[in-house]
Amino acid sequence: MKSPSTPESSESVDRVIHEVDGIQEYDNKLPNWWLYTLYGAIAFAACYWYWFETARLGASPVEAYQAEMDRAAADQAMALTVGDATPEALAALAKDPNATALGKQVFVSTCAACHRADGGGSVGPNLTDEFWLHGSAPERIYRTIASGVPDKGMPAWQPQLGALKTQAVTAYVLGLVGTNVSGGKAPQGEREPISAR
Ligand code: HEC
């Protein structure tokens, strides 16, 4: 039904489908650009679903993130070279952002279960205070981490992590020493202040 009283062109107005308080709503054709956008979105969603959920041809965001982190860790490892774990070499590594970044990754994934992510300690001792069971000198800390204290529940890490990651995580632990995070485990062992090293 055309409505001759409307000022709009009669081609776009098929019929009034709704009228409330003198306001008339027409059943206009949706613009093509709008429809194509809708159809395009539907087609995209179907392809996306097939690609990522059904056929699993592409990496999900989580997998892509993990792959990127692995690549970054590999790059960091490449930028480092393994030398002997002398006190000087360990002190230098503790200042190398590549080493401490790699060490932090190792710490969070491997050590945090027993020493807490911030080093405050739970099963294992607090690594952020000034008290040490096995010595606070860099080479002592390295030896504890590399060879472990197997009969006390601290695994030997060098065989599992390799020399590079063991040195990197030592470098990271050296940076934790003396940070005294709050809520950390009560001191264990002898007091060995940093200044005494
Ligand atoms: C399964 C639990 C566990 C894991 C995982 C673990 N540790 Fe330990 N760690 C311990 C325990 C328990 C001790 C205390 C050993 C003792 O009583 O002699 C310890 C001691 C240490 C010490 C010596 C602390 C001191 O007071 O002398 C350092 C350093 C250390 N761990 C670093 C690490 C690092 C780095 C990692 C990861 C590569 C790690 N630990 C992973 C349980 C763990």
Side-chain angles (χ1 to χ4, degrees), residues 110-111 114-115 124-125 127 132-134 144-145 149 152-154 157:
T110 314
C111 321
C114 293
H115 291 281
L127 302 177
W132 295 88
L133 293 163
H134 303 284
T144 312
I145 297 171
V149 194
K152 295 281 175 55
M154 166 70 179
W157 291 106

Side-chain angles (χ1 to χ4, degrees), residues 103-181:
K104 181 176 187 175
Q105 262 180 26
V106 173
F107 193 87
V108 168
S109 63
T110 314
C111 321
C114 293
H115 291 281
R116 232 168 68 173
D118 62 3
S122 57
V123 176
N126 190 337
L127 302 177
T128 71
D129 63 12
E130 295 180 333
F131 291 81
W132 295 88
L133 293 163
H134 303 284
S136 68
E139 67 277 17
R140 300 281 308 272
I141 294 180
Y142 175 76
R143 191 158 3 115
T144 312
I145 297 171
S147 312
V149 194
D151 48 343
K152 295 281 175 55
M154 166 70 179
W157 291 106
Q158 176 111 336
Q160 295 190 47
L161 297 174
L164 178 68
K165 283 184 173 177
T166 307
Q167 290 186 19
V169 79
T170 304
Y172 180 68
V173 168
L174 291 175
L176 293 177
V177 176
T179 56
N180 285 307
V181 295

